[in-house]
Amino acid sequence: AFTSEEIELNKKVVTWPQKLSPIFEQNEQIVESAKVRGESALTEKQEKVQMEIEKSHRRVEEFSECSDLSQIQHYCKDIAILQKRLVELQEQIAQINKEEELFKWTPTTYPQLDQIHSMLEPYQRLFNTVFRWQKADKRLMDGAFLELNAENTEAEVDEFSRDMYKLVKTFNAKAKQMKKEKEVGGQQVRREATAEQEEAFSPLKMSTMTLDQIKDFKINLPIIHTLCNPGLRQRHWEKMSEVAGFNITPDSGTSLRKMLKHNLEPFMDEFESISAGASKEHSLEKAM
């Protein structure tokens, strides 16, 4: 015969399925509720990313209004901030795609993000190139005159000139494209107005102004080649000072900007002759 304890245990075993059924149902409800919450949270992430992408797109479009050369460092910082935000968005999208895979959703693509990268690239090149040129121009004009290397300076300025010329072409084409997009009903805008619109396009204006600055600096290259000759000695500076009628011998405080204030252009032919002679003497000294 069974003891009362065994009979009671048997009753519990027999009635377990009935008791477990509500628990399974409750568990299914919990899982389904968690799934709904997870899907809702994922949808919110998708919407937030889309809003951030649209915000970033508008920010890139605002760069077309930047033309103040004195604010170039600020523009470069704005570009860096936006690029960092785009990287963060890319990481968020990767996480979203992983979660979509868990829910067996079709991964969401954001082609507008690639468009933003493409739009941003020429502005980044423009602002960074202008900023680097401004720093180079300051160094070349106000740095130690005797430390200028003519060949290196010319190569550096030529590189800036090539880069800026390409940017002028890029933004000139962009200005023309924007003009076409703004034409109403396919009607042609008057040529005078078209020229004014293209000229008013801020990045084109900035790149053109900077290219003009580089061209202006190139005018100084003959002076640098002549007077920054490593073969020049004190006797040569004395000869050139005699030609000019005043002392032009550079010291530790002399810069290209200060040298240009002497208006030495009328004497350059004679200076070049003296400098050429100094180069020959310097070559002989090195050969001995």
Side-chain angles (χ1 to χ4, degrees), residues 165-182:
Y165 178 73
K166 291 176 184 176
L167 285 163
V168 168
K169 287 185 66 176
T170 295
F171 286 106
N172 189 41
K174 189 173 181 62
K176 292 180 184 296
Q177 181 62 33
M178 289 176 66
K179 186 267 302 180
K180 288 181 181 178
E181 291 172 357
K182 289 180 180 179

Side-chain angles (χ1 to χ4, degrees), residues 1 4 14 21 55 61 71 84 86 90 95 111 121 127 132 153 166 180 187 199 211 215-216 250 261 282:
S4 57
V14 172
S21 181
K55 181 180 176 182
E61 289 180 331
Q71 294 296 312
K84 181 181 178 183
L86 293 177
Q90 199 70 59
Q95 182 59 38
E121 190 270 339
F127 298 155
R132 287 190 301 108
T153 299
K166 291 176 184 176
K180 288 181 181 178
Q187 294 180 354
E199 185 178 350
L211 183 58
K215 289 177 180 177
D216 288 343
K261 289 181 179 178
H282 184 56

Side-chain angles (χ1 to χ4, degrees), residues 60-199:
V60 175
E61 289 180 331
E62 290 172 1
F63 287 132
S64 67
E65 301 173 4
C66 297
S67 63
D68 189 348
L69 288 172
S70 67
Q71 294 296 312
I72 194 65
Q73 189 170 1
H74 178 70
Y75 299 155
C76 288
K77 288 180 179 178
D78 286 345
I79 287 277
I81 290 170
L82 181 54
Q83 286 180 317
K84 181 181 178 183
R85 184 69 189 116
L86 293 177
V87 170
E88 292 171 350
L89 283 172
Q90 199 70 59
E91 292 171 351
Q92 291 174 22
I93 289 170
Q95 182 59 38
I96 285 173
N97 289 155
K98 287 181 181 179
E99 294 182 27
E100 288 171 334
E101 187 177 352
L102 292 174
F103 287 116
K104 301 188 184 307
W105 291 6
T106 302
T108 306
T109 58
Y110 299 87
Q112 195 176 12
L113 199 61
D114 292 332
Q115 183 185 3
I116 291 171
H117 279 293
S118 178
M119 292 171 60
L120 185 62
E121 190 270 339
Y123 291 111
Q124 186 216 6
R125 282 196 295 123
L126 173 62
F127 298 155
N128 286 344
T129 303
V130 172
F131 183 48
R132 287 190 301 108
W133 163 249
Q134 288 183 350
K135 290 198 297 182
D137 182 56
K138 175 70 176 174
R139 169 173 51 81
L140 296 171
M141 291 296 291
D142 299 317
F145 182 74
L146 292 174
E147 293 180 8
L148 288 177
N149 180 292
E151 283 93 13
N152 291 348
T153 299
E154 184 168 8
E156 182 179 11
V157 174
D158 281 344
E159 183 177 357
F160 274 117
S161 182
R162 287 191 298 270
D163 291 345
M164 195 53 61
Y165 178 73
K166 291 176 184 176
L167 285 163
V168 168
K169 287 185 66 176
T170 295
F171 286 106
N172 189 41
K174 189 173 181 62
K176 292 180 184 296
Q177 181 62 33
M178 289 176 66
K179 186 267 302 180
K180 288 181 181 178
E181 291 172 357
K182 289 180 180 179
E183 289 176 1
V184 180
Q187 294 180 354
Q188 195 69 23
V189 180
R190 289 185 304 110
R191 290 184 179 179
E192 295 82 357
T194 300
E196 290 176 3
Q197 288 173 355
E198 291 172 4
E199 185 178 350

Side-chain angles (χ1 to χ4, degrees), residues 257-283:
R257 192 183 305 277
K258 290 180 179 178
M259 189 64 79
L260 292 173
K261 289 181 179 178
H262 290 314
N263 297 317
L264 301 175
E265 187 61 33
F267 316 113
M268 287 308 299
D269 288 343
E270 293 181 76
F271 286 175
E272 287 172 8
S273 178
I274 295 170
S275 182
S279 294
K280 291 178 182 178
E281 293 172 13
H282 184 56
S283 297

